[in-house]
Amino acid sequence: FPISEYMRYSSDFLISKFTFTFTRHPLTRFLSAYYYLSDNPKNESDRIFASEILSLYSDINDFILNYLNEETIYDHIHFYPQCYFIKFNGIIAVDYLGKYESLEPDFKDIAKIIGKDVALQHANKSRSNVKVNQLSSASIDKLRALYHEDFVSLGY
């Protein structure tokens, strides 16, 4: 759920708690989502999107160039911009913004902040080898435009 939903239903509670999230580089996040959806997704909603939408396109570049736009990125939750989830009234509304690219040290920071000695476990590992070089320059340009706010607000 986006933080705006939490703020609407429980803003006092949320404000009184330490909040954090992890973001991922918008291009590798997109690639990961695309390949997850095209490689036997786990839930029914994902399977329906894959069979009714993804299957219409020959490859990832075809999907980006001929399907994705400012409206269709909201057709499926895996393609929503990350800022959609973490901004409230135009500002990032979490206390700590970690990055997937520095997951281990950022997680250690969070553990220290909350006073817990916990180890990070890797679950739900993707089988796909996500590489940005699979994208054409036109696809990269389009993704950079569609996810511009993520690039700027999240420092990528």
Side-chain angles (χ1 to χ4, degrees), residues 21-50:
T21 193
F22 282 85
T23 62
R24 188 171 186 180
H25 189 284
L27 295 180
T28 56
R29 178 178 175 264
F30 176 84
L31 282 161
S32 180
Y34 175 87
Y35 285 114
Y36 162 75
L37 290 168
S38 62
D39 184 28
N40 195 25
K42 293 181 175 105
N43 70 52
E44 187 64 21
S45 169
D46 292 343
R47 284 192 293 275
I48 290 169
F49 184 83

Side-chain angles (χ1 to χ4, degrees), residues 15 21 25 35 40 69 78-79 84 87 123-124 137 144 153:
I15 289 169
T21 193
H25 189 284
Y35 285 114
N40 195 25
N69 61 48
H78 292 293
F79 298 121
Y84 168 84
K87 281 191 168 186
N124 200 24
S137 60
R144 284 191 179 279
S153 295

Side-chain angles (χ1 to χ4, degrees), residues 21-37 60 63-64 68 73-74 76-86 100-101 126 128 130-132 135 143 146-151 154 156:
T21 193
F22 282 85
T23 62
R24 188 171 186 180
H25 189 284
L27 295 180
T28 56
R29 178 178 175 264
F30 176 84
L31 282 161
S32 180
Y34 175 87
Y35 285 114
Y36 162 75
L37 290 168
I60 192 168
F63 175 74
I64 293 166
L68 275 190
I73 60 172
Y74 292 99
H76 197 67
I77 196 164
H78 292 293
F79 298 121
Y80 286 22
Q82 294 169 95
C83 284
Y84 168 84
F85 295 100
I86 61 174
Y100 176 82
E101 296 79 14
S126 173
S128 298
V130 175
K131 300 235 189 280
V132 174
L135 300 174
L143 290 173
L146 290 171
Y147 295 106
H148 177 76
E149 185 178 9
D150 283 356
F151 278 100
L154 306 176
Y156 286 103

Side-chain angles (χ1 to χ4, degrees), residues 56-110:
L56 301 176
Y57 299 90
S58 62
D59 62 22
I60 192 168
N61 290 297
D62 186 27
F63 175 74
I64 293 166
L65 297 174
N66 296 304
Y67 175 77
L68 275 190
N69 61 48
E70 290 181 5
E71 292 155 7
T72 60
I73 60 172
Y74 292 99
D75 284 353
H76 197 67
I77 196 164
H78 292 293
F79 298 121
Y80 286 22
Q82 294 169 95
C83 284
Y84 168 84
F85 295 100
I86 61 174
K87 281 191 168 186
F88 183 71
N89 291 335
I91 62 165
I92 293 174
V94 294
D95 298 313
Y96 187 98
L97 189 63
K99 295 196 175 186
Y100 176 82
E101 296 79 14
S102 55
L103 185 63
E104 291 285 337
D106 289 353
F107 186 80
K108 286 179 182 176
D109 286 347
I110 291 167

Side-chain angles (χ1 to χ4, degrees), residues 112-127:
K112 195 180 304 179
I113 290 167
I114 64 173
K116 299 283 183 182
D117 186 19
V118 291
L120 182 65
Q121 296 188 14
H122 196 161
N124 200 24
K125 185 174 181 177
S126 173
R127 291 184 301 225

